[in-house]
Amino acid sequence: MPSDAIAQPVTAELTGREARWERHNSERQKRILTSAVELIEERAAGAEVSVQQIADRAGLAKSVVYRQFSGRDDLDRRVRAFVLGQFAAALDASMSISVGTLDQILTRTISAVAEWITEHPRIHEFMGTGPTDYDDESIDAISSLKATIADSARTTITEVGRSVGIDSSPFDSLPFAVVTMVEGTLTHWVRSTDPKPSREEIVADLAKYTWYMFDGVARSSGLQIDPHVELSTLIAELVSSDGGTSRPD
């Protein structure tokens, strides 16, 4: 997006993902950010979206848009943060361990990422052009998104490990390794001009690779986990056996 001068930022003394999302909760800012996202999605590859176009789509005067942000860079950063917050919130539902086998959880989570990259190519492209408003210049929004997803997965693994009395530290680096593999592979897949597998096939492959990585770490820790049994059932078995192994493959 091009650089226009914009005056006076809107700030909030809040922290965490919920706080970041809260900054976008005013009706006016939602209209501006949503309009920017819609225009980015509609543009041709490499085309720019101006502040005037965003204002027109939002039904606001350009001067009103100017008053919401400290500059064009701030606007672009806030758009990336807005998209990241929406996608991360949606992905949380797919990553929920309350319903499904491990295989199903992996498949639906990877499928959600594949669907987003496939159906929002211009947004995915834009997210890689710079940081959010809470990251420094060295971290683009895609990297921030990967770190957010990996942190969420690592937190879940740690909490499960604590609840069943298992040391989860061997899994600490696994979430980021998986997220990087999945995002990189899907990006390559969606941009490939050669004959390529269907979305369902690439998702199935990535779910399989992810399971192999997870299973390898689990076995190195003395655990045998059946990916086709409800995860809640496996956790209950581990709790009842004081951290013993679940049913073998």
Side-chain angles (χ1 to χ4, degrees):
M1 297 168 77
S3 57
D4 299 61
I6 302 178
Q8 300 307 319
V10 173
T11 60
E13 298 299 320
L14 298 169
T15 59
R17 189 200 297 175
E18 293 78 8
R20 296 166 188 164
W21 181 252
E22 186 66 26
R23 287 175 300 181
H24 312 307
N25 271 348
S26 76
E27 183 59 33
R28 179 165 290 174
Q29 287 203 15
K30 273 187 174 180
R31 286 167 63 187
I32 294 169
L33 296 171
T34 300
S35 296
V37 170
E38 290 173 353
L39 288 165
I40 293 169
E41 294 223 68
E42 293 169 7
R43 71 180 181 176
E48 296 180 336
V49 175
S50 70
V51 174
Q52 184 63 64
Q53 289 173 310
I54 295 171
D56 290 343
R57 176 62 64 90
L60 300 169
K62 188 176 178 180
S63 60
V64 174
V65 178
Y66 284 175
R67 287 196 292 270
Q68 304 300 311
F69 307 95
S70 63
R72 185 53 190 264
D73 180 62
D74 182 40
L75 172 59
D76 288 351
R77 285 171 175 254
R78 292 285 293 277
V79 171
R80 295 187 195 102
F82 181 67
V83 172
L84 190 154
Q86 288 184 316
F87 180 62
L91 200 60
D92 279 347
S94 297
M95 294 174 64
S96 172
I97 64 172
S98 61
V99 178
T101 67
L102 184 56
D103 179 63
Q104 290 170 338
I105 294 167
L106 294 176
T107 299
R108 74 184 182 223
T109 300
I110 294 170
S111 181
V113 177
E115 179 179 352
W116 184 74
I117 291 177
T118 303
E119 298 186 3
H120 307 282
R122 298 285 79 80
I123 289 295
H124 183 244
E125 175 186 90
F126 177 67
M127 293 287 280
T129 63
T132 66
D133 63 327
Y134 48 81
D135 290 315
D136 63 40
E137 294 289 344
S138 66
I139 303 174
D140 64 40
I142 292 295
S143 298
S144 184
L145 177 60
K146 290 191 291 186
T148 297
I149 297 170
D151 287 346
S152 178
R154 184 166 49 251
T155 297
T156 298
I157 292 171
T158 299
E159 290 174 349
V160 171
R162 186 180 299 115
S163 70
V164 301
I166 293 174
D167 177 16
S168 63
S169 61
F171 294 87
D172 283 352
S173 61
L174 180 62
F176 190 77
V178 168
V179 169
T180 300
M181 175 193 70
V182 169
E183 192 278 331
T185 302
L186 288 175
T187 297
H188 174 76
W189 168 77
V190 80
R191 293 176 180 173
S192 177
T193 57
D194 298 327
K196 56 187 180 183
S198 66
R199 183 196 294 177
E200 291 74 20
E201 290 170 330
I202 194 69
V203 167
D205 284 345
L206 286 170
K208 180 172 60 178
Y209 304 154
T210 300
W211 162 244
Y212 291 157
M213 295 168 71
F214 187 92
D215 187 47
V217 176
R219 287 178 182 274
S220 71
S221 300
L223 296 171
Q224 292 184 352
I225 299 175
D226 188 338
H228 305 299
V229 173
E230 281 285 322
L231 189 55
S232 59
T233 300
L234 293 178
I235 292 172
E237 290 178 357
L238 288 168
V239 171
S240 65
S241 61
D242 294 322
T245 58
S246 69
R247 69 183 67 180
D249 296 335

